[in-house]
Amino acid sequence: MSYTFDHKQLDALEEVLQQGLIDLGVHCVVLIDMSGNIIVNLDNGRMKHDVYSLAALAAGNFGAVSTMAKIIGEDEFSLLFHKGKKENIHFSKVMKDFLLVTIFGKDVSLGFLRLKVTEAVEEIKKILQSQQ
Amino acid sequence: MAFINVKRKEVQVKIVYYGPGRGGKTTNLEYIYNKFNDRIQTEMVAIKTHGDRTLFFDFMPFDMGQIKGYDVKIQLYTVPGQVKYDATRRLVLRGVDGIVFVADSLAVRREKNIHSLKNLQDNLATYSKSIHKIPLVMQYNKRDLSKQGIPVLSQDTLEKDLNSRLKAPSFLASALEGKNVAATMKKIIVMVMVSLQKELQ
Amino acid sequence: MVDSNENLLASEVEKRLEDLFGESGESTDFVEEPNDAEPEDSPLKELKATILSIDWEISDEIMDRLASQIASLKDEFRADSIMVPFLLLLDSIGRYIKVKKAHAHPDAVKVLNSVYSGLEKVALSKGLTNQERKRVLSAEVQRFKQLKEKIASTRVEQERKKGAKRFKELKQKIVMSKTTSDAVDTENAPEDLNQLLDQLKAFIRSEIKALRDELIGQRS
């Protein structure tokens, strides 16, 4: 079983992520599916992360955290975020099958980033749902 | 579920090594990593518990280069074999394209192999996938142990126990010594690529 | 005897620990920040909590909380000629963020935080002269002004981009209708064309208006 998005969808996804997040000063954005595949990967040109491993771990981690949520009687957690000294990472579910991973430094406030991510996720939904 | 990026001309394929605990799944990946790392330029990611048991999964991505105009990226995963980690096993199986079932040839592990294969079938079913349809390769691991006089299951027994209905390609192997490790992996990659192509036509 | 054995062991362990975990050249002295700005028990306690929570989440609820805390502080400090303008600044940025949310300028939250630190300094540092307090305020006012300029210039830029995009779309429509009008849909063609003309006129009108607003804005 495989799936694909057409050129137009991928272009549109890149545009949304570029304008909504990279232009804001985010270091790296990766849209992945829950199997750990990378759909779109953008960065500010200065990042050299191993995004494939990152995607595999993010998908696994998201699955683990969702199961933890269920165990304590939550549907899902609304904030998935790790804070580091220089880099932070934020996860946001997109529909049932996708995950938006955002890596950003301390010059971007989490509160503002969350607003921008929410907005980007709405746009992404529209694009992904235009499939077929 | 392979993702095909038409824009970047890239295919991402997910292959999972499944099987009972301590059967040698991680050893398969480690051998590939150690033997071929200078060629495939990858990093192996492992999440382990105390005593070297796989907690979540091991992960090793590598680039196969261009095939029919597409950049093929292979992602090898292992699952934790221990029975109690069924939830994480299911997570790792999500979107799998091909499976290597690593069976333990040790005579005392006979039951464990059968249970693990049944568990694989059940977990695939939760993603509406059939063990009979997905690309699958059997690996009967730890053949080196017979040299040390440790009782191992015969190939016939293993075939009968595990492969009589599936009729998957199978290999006798020693992951520790590296025997048939690469062969197993090459076989599953070929099978997955063929099945992807069929599906795309 | 026992004592010296123990000492030997201890010093060996210490040496090993030093080998393993030693941090050469790094000072282990703590540099403590001057502690006079401590809002824990101050009138700013609640405001500080709100400013910190904006860092995590920007919602109407939190922004309203900010506005009401500023209002009560304005009352409390009404005789303070530095604090009142500080609170006004904070209020103004807060309102802007609340209205604009994701469309706010990315620097707005940074300036909000910076203005708050200035305000905290002025309110809680003991022994600042009036001159020093004024200097803190004017630095933040400067930052606020720069933010305003940035917001204005990005707005102009956005308008320009939007305009260019609309224009391109309309042009495309005209080209399309030209090439297709002979073959298809001849019945509706004049109507489409009229509609298009109207759109074009409206577009030009709005462009001129934007330009005029811009010019007026620059003059004032």
Side-chain angles (χ1 to χ4, degrees):
Chain A
M1 204 166 59
S2 67
Y3 71 103
T4 181
F5 295 117
D6 62 31
H7 251 272
K8 227 173 95 189
Q9 284 174 310
L10 292 168
D11 282 340
L13 288 171
E14 278 188 12
E15 196 183 314
V16 165
L17 297 177
Q18 178 73 41
Q19 286 179 0
L21 296 169
I22 297 288
D23 289 354
L24 168 72
V26 159
H27 295 163
C28 175
V29 223
V30 195
L31 179 67
I32 65 174
D33 68 14
M34 293 298 184
S35 332
N37 292 313
I38 295 175
I39 318 275
V40 177
N41 166 32
L42 287 180
D43 61 40
N44 62 2
R46 291 194 295 276
M47 293 292 124
K48 289 271 177 290
H49 297 311
D50 173 5
V51 281
Y52 287 90
S53 297
L54 198 66
L57 292 167
N61 182 54
F62 185 81
V65 171
S66 305
T67 313
M68 276 196 265
K70 300 237 162 54
I71 289 172
I72 65 164
E74 279 290 321
D75 239 6
E76 55 189 15
F77 296 124
S78 58
L79 174 59
L80 299 169
F81 170 64
H82 300 296
K83 189 169 174 60
K85 262 191 196 146
K86 283 192 226 128
E87 299 289 302
N88 309 298
I89 189 163
H90 177 269
F91 307 89
S92 180
K93 194 178 175 189
V94 185
M95 305 191 301
K96 223 173 80 238
D97 293 309
F98 303 96
L99 191 63
L100 184 66
V101 184
T102 312
I103 299 164
F104 61 103
K106 50 186 167 192
D107 48 341
V108 176
S109 105
L110 175 68
F112 192 55
L113 179 100
R114 290 173 75 189
L115 287 179
K116 298 298 268 190
V117 165
T118 309
E119 201 189 45
V121 164
E122 284 311 310
E123 293 295 311
I124 294 169
K125 275 185 192 165
K126 281 185 216 151
I127 297 165
L128 296 182
Q129 279 164 346
S130 70
Q131 201 184 4
Q132 276 111 44
Chain B
M1 196 156 63
F3 174 64
I4 299 165
N5 191 325
V6 286
K7 194 175 165 198
R8 282 159 61 167
K9 290 261 172 198
E10 183 184 276
V11 184
Q12 296 172 50
V13 167
K14 180 172 185 174
I15 292 168
V16 175
Y17 283 64
Y18 209 91
R22 293 190 189 278
K25 301 174 291 294
T26 300
T27 313
N28 263 272
L29 258 62
E30 280 170 349
Y31 176 80
I32 294 164
Y33 176 73
N34 290 326
K35 178 89 179 170
F36 306 109
N37 187 32
D38 51 340
R39 277 181 256 167
I40 55 180
Q41 304 275 318
T42 181
E43 283 301 322
M44 184 163 163
V45 177
I47 309 173
K48 290 182 191 288
T49 46
H50 281 299
D52 243 17
R53 308 293 299 272
T54 304
L55 167 65
F56 206 156
F57 55 77
D58 303 313
F59 170 73
M60 195 172 87
F62 62 89
D63 204 329
M64 273 187 38
Q66 295 259 322
I67 293 173
K68 294 205 179 248
Y70 275 83
D71 195 17
V72 178
K73 294 209 182 288
I74 304 289
Q75 320 197 313
L76 303 181
Y77 286 76
T78 67
V79 294
Q82 288 165 284
V83 175
K84 62 179 171 186
Y85 292 138
D86 198 40
T88 43
R89 254 196 309 279
R90 210 174 307 136
L91 282 175
V92 176
L93 272 186
R94 185 168 186 153
V96 64
D97 296 302
I99 288 164
V100 173
F101 187 83
V102 181
D104 193 331
S105 294
L106 269 179
V108 291
R109 297 278 164 82
R110 190 171 174 186
E111 289 285 308
K112 288 213 162 132
N113 289 332
I114 297 168
H115 281 152
S116 177
L117 190 65
K118 177 77 180 90
N119 175 255
L120 169 63
Q121 178 170 16
D122 294 345
N123 280 337
L124 283 173
T126 63
Y127 295 116
S128 314
K129 281 184 181 168
S130 157
I131 196 172
H132 296 279
K133 287 190 186 137
I134 194 162
L136 173 75
V137 172
M138 285 283 172
Q139 184 188 70
Y140 307 133
N141 191 23
K142 300 194 188 173
R143 302 313 292 179
D144 50 298
L145 289 178
S146 67
K147 283 187 287 186
Q148 300 169 33
I150 298 169
V152 297
L153 301 161
S154 73
Q155 186 173 10
D156 278 353
T157 309
L158 284 159
E159 281 286 321
K160 225 173 280 165
D161 280 356
L162 307 170
N163 207 13
S164 58
R165 288 182 58 215
L166 292 171
K167 304 230 181 326
S170 66
F171 291 90
L172 294 171
S174 163
L176 213 57
E177 295 176 349
K179 283 187 187 146
N180 272 341
V181 168
T184 308
M185 178 188 65
K186 285 190 247 173
K187 185 76 193 166
I188 189 66
I189 292 176
V190 170
M191 285 171 73
V192 168
M193 294 308 292
V194 168
S195 109
L196 266 182
Q197 199 187 22
K198 263 190 208 149
E199 199 192 310
L200 290 178
Q201 273 166 2
Chain C
M1 197 63 203
V2 175
D3 262 6
S4 74
N5 266 345
E6 272 181 12
N7 283 342
L8 230 64
L9 178 71
S11 72
E12 197 180 332
V13 170
E14 273 168 15
K15 185 175 172 300
R16 177 63 50 83
L17 284 171
E18 186 54 34
D19 288 346
L20 290 172
F21 306 112
E23 294 163 308
S24 63
E26 268 176 49
S27 161
T28 48
D29 296 341
F30 289 100
V31 182
E32 304 220 337
E33 294 286 320
N35 209 16
D36 56 2
E38 192 53 70
E40 298 315 318
D41 232 3
S42 75
L44 296 187
K45 193 177 156 194
E46 283 176 23
L47 183 65
K48 175 151 192 160
T50 305
I51 293 284
L52 286 174
S53 50
I54 289 170
D55 234 11
W56 285 83
E57 185 177 26
I58 298 168
S59 65
D60 281 342
E61 193 198 329
I62 290 172
M63 298 318 286
D64 287 344
R65 202 191 308 156
L66 178 74
S68 81
Q69 282 164 356
I70 290 172
S72 69
L73 285 170
K74 257 196 303 201
D75 198 40
E76 201 174 328
F77 286 98
R78 62 183 173 275
D80 189 325
S81 66
I82 302 289
M83 280 299 278
V84 171
F86 249 125
L87 289 163
L88 287 173
L89 279 183
L90 210 58
D91 196 37
S92 163
I93 306 168
R95 279 173 207 281
Y96 166 76
I97 293 171
K98 187 194 166 193
V99 173
K100 290 287 179 175
K101 295 267 166 44
H103 300 283
H105 193 281
D107 287 352
V109 182
K110 285 180 220 166
V111 177
L112 182 85
N113 282 322
S114 160
V115 169
Y116 174 77
S117 343
L119 179 146
E120 195 180 280
K121 198 168 176 187
V122 162
L124 303 177
S125 299
K126 290 170 193 116
L128 281 188
T129 64
N130 213 33
Q131 202 55 38
E132 282 165 332
R133 297 177 91 218
K134 258 187 198 157
R135 214 173 297 142
V136 178
L137 174 63
S138 80
E140 296 307 329
V141 169
Q142 201 51 37
R143 225 163 254 147
F144 178 76
K145 275 187 182 157
Q146 280 165 358
L147 175 68
K148 260 176 85 173
E149 278 162 23
K150 280 187 196 165
I151 292 169
S153 68
T154 41
R155 199 175 291 152
V156 170
E157 180 61 14
Q158 275 166 354
E159 278 305 317
R160 200 190 59 74
K161 269 193 195 159
K162 231 192 282 172
K165 199 175 157 196
R166 263 190 324 224
F167 186 71
K168 213 171 119 190
E169 281 168 4
L170 283 171
K171 215 169 84 179
Q172 229 163 17
K173 269 192 195 165
I174 294 170
V175 173
M176 289 237 300
S177 69
K178 263 189 199 156
T179 51
T180 53
S181 58
D182 299 335
V184 242
D185 214 11
T186 39
E187 245 166 64
N188 288 327
E191 214 172 288
D192 276 356
L193 221 56
N194 280 336
Q195 226 179 344
L196 216 61
L197 269 174
D198 287 343
Q199 279 178 334
L200 206 59
K201 276 183 208 155
F203 166 71
I204 291 167
R205 263 201 299 274
S206 77
E207 280 299 287
I208 290 174
K209 187 180 176 299
L211 211 66
R212 197 187 307 143
D213 290 350
E214 207 179 305
L215 285 173
I216 292 167
Q218 274 171 358
R219 225 181 306 160
S220 64

